[in-house]
Amino acid sequence: MSENKLDVKKVLKDNTMLLVLVGVMLLFQVLILLTGHGSLFAPANITNIIRQNSYVVILATGMLLCILTGGNIDLSVGSVVALVGAVAGVLIVNWGLPIWLSIVLCLLIGTLIGAFHGFFIAYIHIPPFITTLAGMLLWRGVATIVLDGRPISPFPDNYLKLFESFVFGGGEETSIFLITMIIAVICCLIFVFTEIYSRASKKARGYTVSSKAQFISKLVILCAVILVIGQFLARDRGIPVVLILLFVVIAIYSYFTKNTVPGRYLYAIGGNEKAAKLSGVNTDNVMFFAYTNMGFLSAVAALVCVARLNSAQPTAGNSYEMDAIASCFIGGASAYGGTGTVTGAVIGAIFMGVLNNGMSILGIDQNWQRAVKGLVLLAAVIFDVVSKKKKSSK
């Protein structure tokens, strides 16, 4: 195939989930307009989708690393979120400790919990499902004990501003719009530069790269998405601070999984653990890292959640693990491990957020919402399994 030829099928395949996400959003928009419930694409609603689902993006990023190691999952993340949130409430609200010290202590506790799980999984070789199921029960109980069964609120404004404020918030609408769009354009330029640099590096090392036409089409599609989201935010209150946190998390973990040796070890173990071990990969250390990292990101998600709710609650984090797992599989991660990207997990998380938001606006019962999300998750896994069988039969 010529390097300048555009393979439409390849472009569609590479952007399947993004196109499905756009299609679902358009479907909800039509249904919402027909029923007179407002608009899914109202700028304030787009902002709310980002803020309400920030924790899902953070948890899905960490969950992806666990899934890559062979389809393993972490069932304890919701309980860890509850416990770290409870500790944050005690430290910040009850004890009045400095906010930054409290944040560091919370992140340390989350990391230690992840290391606790990782030790039993990696070195004692207890199955991750059993270890994290025990963690789910254990940490939920500890969270309830720490809170004595009662919520702690409100959190100080200085803490809430770290996660719930807006960049240049409080300014004039014109200046907010202009600044937000400038930032969106800068993000596009940074994205284009990094992609061009990455492509050039791969070609220099002899790796196979996509055709120029496909590469350009990818840049155009993703830059268009950034600009469209930017204009929605610009028409509301600007860029939420939590979106900057999400950008940092996504950028760091995307680079880690794509361009570092430890990141590639995760894929190697998921592809064939025995082969990876024979190749010199310390599979135990990689598994330990994956679950320790999951604990750290659960703590980050907890700090975001307590700011969003403005309270630490013993029931916080319920079903968060299901949202994170579903986001990864919907975003293209394989149930067998070894396949998946951070970008895909993020798209899956947004997909889940749009489903929740769209069905809520339409007034669909919570039980039906759970049923729909369950069917979507099942469909994603079935698609993965069928695709794997087709490839193995060729």
Side-chain angles (χ1 to χ4, degrees):
M1 183 177 65
S2 170
E3 189 179 350
N4 295 314
K5 184 178 179 181
L6 178 62
D7 187 343
V8 178
K9 287 185 178 180
K10 183 73 166 56
V11 173
L12 292 175
K13 184 179 178 181
D14 291 344
N15 297 280
T16 299
M17 273 313 302
L18 187 59
L19 296 173
V20 170
L21 174 61
V22 172
V24 169
M25 293 182 75
L26 292 175
L27 174 62
F28 272 122
Q29 175 69 356
V30 171
L31 293 174
I32 290 169
L33 290 176
L34 288 176
T35 54
H37 286 92
S39 173
L40 180 73
F41 293 109
N45 191 50
I46 297 298
T47 300
N48 286 335
I49 289 175
I50 293 172
R51 295 170 67 199
Q52 289 170 359
N53 295 279
S54 54
Y55 76 90
V56 185
V57 174
I58 296 168
L59 293 176
T61 301
M63 192 68 71
L64 175 69
L65 270 60
C66 297
I67 291 173
L68 288 177
T69 60
N72 301 306
I73 56 175
D74 188 336
L75 294 174
S76 69
V77 295
S79 298
V80 176
V81 166
L83 175 57
V84 175
V87 172
V90 171
L91 296 179
I92 298 173
V93 180
N94 290 358
W95 293 0
L97 290 184
I99 289 173
W100 287 107
L101 175 60
S102 301
I103 289 174
V104 170
L105 290 174
C106 287
L107 293 177
L108 180 60
I109 289 171
T111 305
L112 289 174
I113 291 173
F116 176 81
H117 295 157
F119 173 77
F120 287 105
I121 292 168
Y123 303 119
I124 309 300
H125 300 292
I126 297 176
F129 182 88
I130 301 299
T131 303
T132 58
L133 177 61
M136 179 175 71
L137 301 173
L138 170 62
W139 307 124
R140 178 67 63 181
V142 175
T144 305
I145 292 169
V146 170
L147 291 173
D148 196 23
R150 294 170 294 185
I152 295 176
S153 64
F155 279 73
D157 290 339
N158 288 341
Y159 177 78
L160 299 180
K161 286 179 182 178
L162 293 175
F163 301 101
E164 284 297 297
S165 59
F166 291 81
V167 177
F168 303 109
E172 296 182 1
E173 289 186 10
T174 304
S175 61
I176 290 175
F177 185 90
L178 182 61
I179 291 171
T180 303
M181 291 310 299
I182 289 174
I183 293 174
V185 171
I186 292 173
C187 288
C188 287
L189 293 175
I190 293 173
F191 169 72
V192 170
F193 174 79
T194 54
E195 286 296 312
I196 291 174
Y197 177 79
S198 176
R199 176 183 167 86
S201 298
K202 288 179 180 178
K203 287 187 73 173
R205 288 178 289 186
Y207 293 130
T208 302
V209 295
S210 59
S211 68
K212 284 184 180 178
Q214 288 170 217
F215 178 69
I216 292 172
S217 67
K218 173 187 173 183
L219 296 182
V220 170
I221 290 172
L222 292 179
C223 284
V225 170
I226 293 172
L227 292 175
V228 168
I229 294 174
Q231 65 86 26
F232 279 124
L233 298 177
R235 288 160 53 198
D236 186 31
R237 287 162 287 179
I239 299 174
V241 171
V242 73
L243 184 59
I244 298 175
L245 172 63
L246 297 183
F247 175 79
V248 172
V249 170
I250 294 166
I252 290 174
Y253 283 91
S254 291
Y255 181 84
F256 174 78
T257 53
K258 288 181 180 179
N259 301 297
T260 68
V261 174
R264 302 313 297 178
Y265 284 167
L266 294 164
Y267 290 91
I269 292 175
N272 191 322
E273 185 176 355
K274 290 182 179 178
K277 189 176 293 187
L278 291 172
S279 299
V281 177
N282 190 323
T283 55
D284 290 347
N285 285 351
V286 175
M287 290 291 289
F288 179 77
F289 165 77
Y291 282 89
T292 301
N293 175 75
M294 187 72 255
F296 169 75
L297 287 180
S298 296
V300 175
L303 295 172
V304 171
C305 287
V306 292
R308 175 70 180 159
L309 300 172
N310 195 16
S311 70
Q313 303 177 6
T315 57
N318 279 334
S319 299
Y320 281 15
E321 59 278 351
M322 296 298 111
D323 289 336
I325 294 166
S327 298
C328 292
F329 288 137
I330 291 170
S334 172
Y336 303 106
T339 302
T341 63
V342 172
T343 305
V346 171
I347 293 175
I350 297 172
F351 185 91
M352 292 292 290
V354 169
L355 273 183
N356 289 330
N357 186 265
M359 289 190 290
S360 296
I361 292 175
L362 290 171
I364 296 175
D365 183 74
Q366 284 287 336
N367 296 317
W368 279 107
Q369 290 189 34
R370 293 191 188 97
V372 169
K373 288 191 287 185
L375 288 173
V376 169
L377 174 58
L378 181 61
V381 176
I382 289 173
F383 178 79
D384 172 57
V385 172
V386 172
S387 300
K388 282 276 194 302
K389 286 183 177 178
K390 284 184 177 179
K391 287 181 181 178
S392 61
S393 64
K394 287 182 180 179

